[in-house]
Amino acid sequence: MKTFRYSRAVMAALIGVAMSGSITIAHADIKDYAFQLVDQTIKAGPDKTITVRLLDMKTGKPVPDAVIFATRLDMAPDGMQEMATRITSMPGAEPGTYKFKATFSMAGRWQLSLGAKVQGETGTVESKLVVTAQK
Ligand SMILES: [Cu+2]
């Protein structure tokens, strides 16, 4: 019954792989977080507010208290990466959402690059979001 024993050993190994696999999946990973735009479009002009939500993609829940340390807003999606505008963080967003103020000097697609640190996680959340400014 050598074959039988062998297949049991294989089965045990497979169960082991499956179990360690599920442990890896259960552990939170920085890749499981992502920013989403609350509104995809915005009106072109000065001092417009962009609101983004930081989500834990596993639970679908918003993530509060992230530290956002890198932002850039430029027209790369419309071939104008050199056309950047200043972006500043704004207080007063609901938990899990983050607000920024920027001037959209031109209608078209603007790329918002965000970096963030999430409490209790190593690594950096990096997202590039495209917001469309309309006339
Ligand atoms: Cu432009």
Side-chain angles (χ1 to χ4, degrees):
M1 284 285 135
K2 204 176 176 194
T3 314
F4 177 68
R5 273 193 203 155
Y6 174 72
S7 62
R8 272 181 59 126
V10 167
M11 192 69 108
L14 286 174
I15 290 166
V17 167
M19 283 176 74
S20 60
S22 67
I23 288 162
T24 308
I25 290 162
H27 181 77
D29 190 328
I30 201 73
K31 292 185 199 74
D32 299 327
Y33 298 90
F35 283 103
Q36 288 181 342
L37 285 167
V38 171
D39 293 305
Q40 310 284 321
T41 59
I42 201 156
K43 235 173 147 26
D47 295 337
K48 300 300 175 191
T49 303
I50 314 167
T51 308
V52 299
R53 192 179 288 119
L54 180 60
L55 285 178
D56 180 337
M57 302 307 276
K58 283 232 172 82
T59 61
K61 287 185 179 156
V63 181
D65 303 322
V67 178
I68 293 158
F69 64 90
T71 56
R72 182 178 162 86
L73 187 61
D74 62 49
M75 287 196 80
D78 278 353
M80 290 174 270
Q81 41 272 82
E82 72 287 353
M83 190 172 173
T85 190
R86 201 164 70 92
I87 180 160
T88 50
S89 287
M90 286 173 71
E94 294 171 42
T97 66
Y98 303 85
K99 287 186 177 189
F100 306 94
K101 191 170 72 175
T103 293
F104 292 85
S105 51
M106 185 176 164
R109 289 175 297 163
W110 292 78
Q111 178 172 266
L112 175 61
S113 305
L114 292 174
K117 294 280 184 196
V118 176
Q119 304 230 346
E121 299 287 353
T122 49
T124 303
V125 182
E126 285 180 63
S127 286
K128 289 188 191 300
L129 304 169
V130 176
V131 59
T132 303
Q134 295 175 328
K135 279 180 197 165

